[in-house]
C-alpha cells in the first residue's frame, strides 16, 4: 500500500517549548488543587498562585477553567500518526488507528494525568458540557489532514461529515463509559477511575470507531 512520508510533529522552538512548560505547570497545579479541595471550590487565582503565574497568564493559555482540564498538546501527534497511514486506506479506518494508537501511548506516558482528567470529567457537569467545544479544534486539524490526503478542500462537505461522525463517536463512547461506570457503582454515583476503567474506555472508543469503519451496520 502507498503511504505518505513518515511524519513527526515539527521540532519546537524555545518559545513554544516554554509555552508548553507553562501550560503544563498550570495544569499540574490545577489538578493538585482540584484533588485537594474540589473543582468548584478552586478559583483561578489560586491556580495561578500555585503555578507561580498571574491570573491573566492562566486565561491567556486557557480561556476558561474548563479548558485547563480538557486541553492538551497531543493534537500534533494525532496529525502525525494520521499522515503515516496508507493513502488508500478508508479515512475512518485511518482515524481509528491513529486515535487508538495515540490513546495507548498517552496511557503509558501520562497515565496519572489521564486518570485525574477523567475523574474530573465524570464528576463535573460543566466539563462534560464543554467537551464538544474542546473537540472542535481537534476536528479542524483532522479535517485539514483528511483533505490533504484525499485532495479535497478542508471545508469540503464530505470531509466535514467524516470528521463530525468520528468526533460524535468519540463523545458517545466516553459518555457511555461514564454511564456504565455509574451502573456498576449500583447507586448512580460516578464511581472510581482506575487503570481497569481506563482500559474499558479505550475499548469503548475503539469499538465506536469500528462501528463507523464497518459502515454503521447493526
Amino acid at each position: 500500500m502507498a503511504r505518505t512520508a513518515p511524519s513527526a510533529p515539527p521540532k519546537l522552538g524555545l518559545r513554544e517549548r516554554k509555552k508548553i512548560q507553562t501550560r503544563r505547570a498550570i495544569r499540574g497545579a490545577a489538578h493538585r488543587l482540584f484533588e485537594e479541595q474540589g473543582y468548584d471550590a478552586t478559583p483561578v487565582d489560586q491556580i495561578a498562585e500555585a503555578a507561580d503565574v498571574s491570573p491573566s497568564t492562566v486565561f491567556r493559555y486557557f480561556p476558561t477553567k474548563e479548558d485547563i482540564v480538557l486541553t492538551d498538546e497531543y493534537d500534533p501527534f494525532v496529525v502525525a500518526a494520521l499522515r503515516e497511514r496508507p493513502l488508500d486506506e478508508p479515512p475512518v479506518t485511518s482515524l481509528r488507528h491513529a486515535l487508538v494508537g495515540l490513546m495507548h501511548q498517552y496511557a503509558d506516558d501520562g497515565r496519572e494525568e489521564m486518570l485525574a482528567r477523567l475523574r474530573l470529567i465524570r464528576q463535573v457537569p460543566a466539563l462534560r458540557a464543554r467537551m464538544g467545544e474542546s473537540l472542535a479544534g481537534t476536528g479542524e486539524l483532522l479535517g485539514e489532514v483528511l483533505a490533504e490526503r484525499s485532495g479535497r478542500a478542508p471545508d469540503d462537505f464530505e470531509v466535514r461529515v467524516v470528521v463530525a461522525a468520528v468526533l460524535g463517536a468519540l463523545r458517545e463512547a466516553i459518555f457511555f463509559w461514564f454511564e456504565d461506570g455509574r451502573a456498576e457503582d449500583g447507586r448512580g454515583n460516578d464511581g472510581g477511575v482506575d487503570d481497569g476503567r481506563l482500559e474499558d474506555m479505550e475499548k469503548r472508543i475503539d469499538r465506536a470507531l469500528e462501528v463507523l469503519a464497518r459502515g454503521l451496520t447493526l
Side-chain angles (χ1 to χ4, degrees), residues 1-65:
M1 290 184 177
R3 287 180 179 269
T4 52
S7 178
K11 186 175 178 62
L12 300 176
L14 178 61
R15 183 177 181 183
E16 188 58 33
R17 292 199 303 272
K18 286 185 175 180
K19 288 181 179 179
I20 291 174
Q21 289 173 356
T22 301
R23 282 197 292 268
R24 288 177 174 170
I26 293 169
R27 276 202 305 267
H31 281 300
R32 288 192 298 273
L33 290 170
F34 295 155
E35 185 73 22
E36 292 170 4
Q37 59 195 36
Y39 178 86
D40 290 331
T42 303
V44 169
D45 59 350
Q46 282 190 12
I47 296 171
E49 183 177 359
D52 197 25
V53 298
S54 67
S56 62
T57 297
V58 174
F59 285 118
R60 187 162 66 248
Y61 284 96
F62 303 100
T64 71
K65 191 169 78 167

Side-chain angles (χ1 to χ4, degrees), residues 86-129:
L87 282 171
D88 56 355
E89 188 174 61
V92 173
T93 301
S94 297
L95 284 165
R96 178 188 175 198
H97 285 293
L99 290 167
V100 173
L102 179 65
M103 282 181 53
H104 289 310
Q105 178 183 339
Y106 188 16
D108 290 339
D109 297 342
R111 183 170 295 273
E112 290 306 314
E113 181 179 339
M114 171 72 89
L115 292 172
R117 173 188 287 192
L118 290 171
R119 279 192 291 268
L120 285 165
I121 295 173
R122 285 172 66 90
Q123 295 164 2
V124 182
L127 291 173
R128 296 196 295 276

Side-chain angles (χ1 to χ4, degrees), residues 156-188:
D156 178 87
F157 175 69
E158 293 186 6
V159 169
R160 292 175 62 173
V161 168
V162 170
V163 172
V166 169
L167 295 182
L170 287 173
R171 189 164 51 245
E172 189 61 30
I174 294 171
F175 287 167
F176 186 94
W177 177 78
F178 290 153
E179 295 166 5
D180 193 44
R182 292 191 184 98
E184 288 182 5
D185 177 76
R187 296 184 298 276

